Amino acid sequence: MTQRPPLIINRLDAERLQRLIDEAAGDREVAEALEAELLRGEVYDPQEMPEDVVSMNSQVLFTDLARQGRIIRTLVYPYSLPEIEDGLSVMAPVGAALLGLRVGDVIDWPLPGGGSARLRIEAVLWQPERAGQFHR
């Protein structure tokens, strides 16, 4: 697996995600991988987030390089999945992989069962911080 790109994480997202990780009862593998990502991420105040970073509740266009498919999803907390039509949980392997990446970044991310996903961020179509929604 290649070296992972640097991450930028909204301080409020990091705090909320740490609580989610601490309470995770299901897939501990994803929770532990997400926690490792939080630990290596550079934390920014919401108002300082660069506009090209995938933060929580961002709608992102990314390419699955293994399958050559382009996908649009909104990165959400698991409890928001029923409300968001194109939602992707941050507690799902691909959701955890997207958090904190910038447009142009490529990441290799392990999948359950031993496979891996290779994803490239094409665009952040909507980001709460860019829209002035700092506490979403």
Side-chain angles (χ1 to χ4, degrees), residues 27-47:
D27 189 349
R28 288 300 311 164
E29 186 176 335
V30 173
E32 289 168 8
L34 182 57
E35 186 167 40
E37 291 295 272
L38 289 178
L39 290 172
R40 76 179 192 84
E42 188 174 345
V43 178
Y44 282 54
D45 282 332
Q47 297 85 343

Side-chain angles (χ1 to χ4, degrees), residues 8-124:
I8 298 174
I9 301 172
N10 172 327
R11 179 181 47 79
L12 297 176
D13 288 349
E15 292 168 2
R16 292 174 184 141
L17 289 167
Q18 189 59 58
R19 283 194 300 275
L20 186 64
I21 291 164
D22 292 344
E23 298 168 0
D27 189 349
R28 288 300 311 164
E29 186 176 335
V30 173
E32 289 168 8
L34 182 57
E35 186 167 40
E37 291 295 272
L38 289 178
L39 290 172
R40 76 179 192 84
E42 188 174 345
V43 178
Y44 282 54
D45 282 332
Q47 297 85 343
E48 299 171 347
M49 284 293 287
E51 295 182 356
D52 65 343
V53 173
V54 179
S55 62
M56 290 304 301
N57 298 301
S58 291
Q59 186 180 57
V60 59
L61 169 63
F62 63 97
T63 299
D64 179 336
L65 295 170
R67 294 170 188 79
Q68 294 300 315
R70 291 185 124 195
I71 303 163
I72 296 174
R73 293 287 183 267
T74 299
L75 186 63
V76 299
Y77 296 98
Y79 58 80
S80 296
L81 278 173
E83 304 161 14
I84 309 296
E85 188 175 321
D86 68 347
L88 173 63
S89 173
V90 70
M91 295 300 285
V94 170
L98 297 176
L99 180 69
L101 297 180
R102 295 184 95 147
V103 172
D105 283 348
V106 175
I107 191 165
D108 292 307
W109 192 263
L111 297 174
S116 69
R118 185 167 175 82
L119 309 171
R120 181 177 59 228
I121 305 301
E122 305 295 346
V124 176

